[in-house]
Amino acid sequence: MTDLVSNIIKFNAQTNGRDKVCRFVSFCIYLKVCCGAIPTRLLQDFASELSPVLTLLFRASVSQATVPDDWKQALVAPIFKKGDKSSPANYRPITLTSVCCKIMEHIMHSQIMQHLDEHGILSDAQHWFRKHRSCETQLLLTLQDLSAALDNSEQIDAILLDFSKAFDKVPY
């Protein structure tokens, strides 16, 4: 894991790291709500100018294993799911955090996933949170395995869990 942390620090120090920070900042438009001192629009409009500063800030955060206090604060907003609007059980909390923190999270996520892929750490059966894979691709493989087992008259054991509340969608 030490290699991974040092790679993230090196990434942030490199020029292409600044370019990637600039790219992530440019896509801030998708992060419509901002919690923090820096407005999303300002980050977008001055992405190339702010990228070197953000890169230094991200590098310091990773090397010191801490983040600015503003990034630790969040706004919690209730989002209606379905049913009776007067029942608190029909709402789920959404946490809105600093856009700068989100940018650093995206960069770290991409570096971690690159590290895991390059070193073959994740199982090929892992589909969540991976590029070009989804719940649907996992379901297709499961159906293929079930079909093959049925064709070969093999025993099939299955455990089904209902995670419907865990994966509620947020309306945009």
Side-chain angles (χ1 to χ4, degrees):
M1 195 57 108
T2 313
D3 287 343
L4 177 60
V5 173
S6 64
N7 284 341
I8 291 171
I9 292 170
K10 285 178 196 170
F11 161 80
N12 285 328
Q14 296 168 353
T15 304
N16 73 343
R18 274 183 254 141
D19 293 342
K20 288 185 180 182
V21 169
C22 185
R23 186 174 40 115
F24 278 109
V25 170
S26 297
F27 289 119
C28 280
I29 193 165
Y30 299 112
L31 303 170
K32 295 182 180 184
V33 181
C34 176
C35 175
I38 303 173
T40 306
R41 185 69 186 182
L42 181 72
L43 286 171
Q44 271 185 297
D45 291 346
F46 297 99
S48 59
E49 292 85 359
L50 292 174
S51 294
V53 176
L54 287 174
T55 302
L56 292 173
L57 180 61
F58 296 162
R59 182 178 182 209
S61 287
V62 172
S63 64
Q64 296 170 16
T66 187
V67 295
D69 289 337
D70 286 354
W71 294 8
K72 296 175 187 176
Q73 296 179 10
L75 296 174
V76 179
I79 300 295
F80 177 70
K81 294 186 289 186
K82 58 184 173 184
D84 181 12
K85 288 191 174 192
S86 64
S87 174
N90 292 328
Y91 289 83
R92 74 177 178 125
I94 300 296
T95 306
L96 306 172
T97 58
S98 166
V99 174
C100 292
C101 186
K102 291 279 186 201
I103 293 167
M104 189 170 95
E105 286 174 10
H106 282 286
I107 291 169
M108 291 185 71
H109 176 265
S110 67
Q111 288 297 108
I112 290 168
M113 291 308 295
Q114 180 181 348
H115 176 83
L116 294 174
D117 287 341
E118 286 176 359
H119 293 87
I121 295 171
L122 293 178
S123 163
D124 197 43
Q126 170 70 34
H127 280 253
W128 286 353
F129 309 110
R130 294 185 74 184
K131 283 185 181 176
H132 311 296
R133 297 182 187 211
S134 64
C135 293
E136 289 82 7
T137 59
Q138 181 69 64
L139 181 59
L140 289 171
L141 286 177
T142 302
L143 288 173
Q144 183 179 359
D145 292 344
L146 290 172
S147 295
L150 285 172
D151 290 345
N152 297 328
S153 300
E154 296 174 356
Q155 178 179 333
I156 301 170
D157 297 323
I159 298 173
L160 304 175
L161 303 172
D162 180 10
F163 289 112
S164 61
K165 294 265 186 202
F167 298 106
D168 289 337
K169 302 236 182 225
V170 177
Y172 290 98

